[in-house]
Amino acid sequence: MYSGEAAEAYSQLGIEGTTYEIAYWAVEEFVRAHCGGHWLDFGCGTGRSTRFLRLSGANRVTGVDISHAMIAQAKREPLDGVSYAHIADEGALGPARFDAVACISVLMEIATFDGLVETLSRIRTALAPHAPGIFTVASEFAYDAVYKTYRRVPNAQPLGAGDTATCFIKTAGGLIEVTDTFWPKAHYEDAFEEAGWTSLTSFDPKPHDAAGFVDEREKPPFTVFTAKA
């Protein structure tokens, strides 16, 4: 669970000019194609993604997270049309409550395949029937690459499904150390299927301009999934 100090450090991590911007370009296009309605930002952290969704065209956005410290930090930057809730709050993920979902750099924090399926099922039931969703995860390339904003510690052996990897993220306040779980693309696809999602597609976005990046063009940092509930 994240501390208040960690939440404050995360709040200093922006989007523009970072490796994360590559995934957010894809998210922005998706929001504009499905604009309006009430969006769920699942795993909102300190709210940068929640605010981004609202500014990209969502009528209303609710950010949900497992960390009270992250939610508290997010609320320090209020924005009209944006609200936050802890995942355990009553009604936070009420059935068919939302018109669309974005889940950005969250699923690789889940340590078990059953946990992936359970999480994706819970998200799906919170959406209206056939509602669209976009999910960004670390690509399979990302675990042996050096990027502008973060790097992972090389493992002595090739990673297998469910193995963990340490990642250091650069922020204005210094480095943040996190532990991600490696899931091959095929495992994510299986999890979406088991959770009842349909119309699944995926792609690995690349930078619009390679200037200022490191391995981002040759080894895309993210895989983006889109699907319908």
Side-chain angles (χ1 to χ4, degrees):
M1 195 64 64
Y2 295 103
S3 65
E5 183 178 346
E8 184 175 357
Y10 265 102
S11 72
Q12 299 178 52
L13 180 59
I15 296 172
E16 186 176 358
T18 71
T19 302
Y20 293 102
E21 187 175 30
I22 299 167
Y24 276 90
W25 287 330
V27 172
E28 182 177 23
E29 290 181 5
F30 189 83
V31 174
R32 288 180 175 176
H34 302 86
C35 62
H38 186 186
W39 281 67
L40 168 64
D41 180 16
F42 187 88
C44 66
T46 59
R48 65 172 180 163
S49 52
T50 320
R51 296 186 291 272
F52 183 88
L53 294 171
R54 176 73 175 101
L55 295 173
S56 295
N59 285 347
R60 190 156 55 108
V61 188
T62 298
V64 173
D65 202 272
I66 197 172
S67 167
H68 288 289
M70 290 289 198
I71 294 294
Q73 185 68 43
K75 289 181 177 179
R76 294 179 184 177
E77 294 189 52
L79 180 66
D80 181 57
V82 167
S83 62
Y84 298 98
H86 189 270
I87 195 170
D89 290 349
E90 184 177 357
L93 293 177
R97 181 183 175 194
F98 300 99
D99 302 307
V101 64
C103 180
I104 303 172
S105 296
V106 173
L107 297 181
M108 62 270 200
E109 296 184 4
I110 298 174
T112 67
F113 181 79
D114 287 346
L116 278 178
V117 174
E118 180 182 354
T119 298
L120 289 169
S121 296
R122 191 171 185 188
I123 295 172
R124 185 180 60 79
T125 58
L127 301 182
H130 312 298
I134 185 166
F135 304 77
T136 74
V137 300
S139 75
E140 293 183 33
F141 304 104
Y143 291 85
D144 63 351
V146 176
Y147 296 131
K148 179 179 181 179
T149 307
Y150 59 85
R151 63 178 177 83
R152 289 182 171 81
V153 177
N155 285 57
Q157 301 293 331
L159 291 171
D163 287 345
T164 58
T166 301
C167 179
F168 290 96
I169 304 171
K170 299 176 185 177
T171 74
L175 292 177
I176 300 172
E177 180 180 341
V178 298
T179 300
D180 287 342
T181 302
F182 174 73
W183 294 111
K185 182 178 177 181
H187 281 66
Y188 283 117
E189 292 171 339
D190 289 345
F192 276 102
E193 182 178 359
E194 288 194 28
W197 291 82
T198 63
S199 304
L200 184 68
T201 66
S202 65
F203 61 98
D204 298 335
K206 293 184 178 181
H208 295 166
D209 182 351
F213 290 108
V214 188
D215 286 343
E216 281 86 346
R217 179 162 288 276
E218 298 302 321
K219 297 180 178 181
F222 304 100
T223 293
V224 176
F225 293 98
T226 65
K228 291 184 178 180

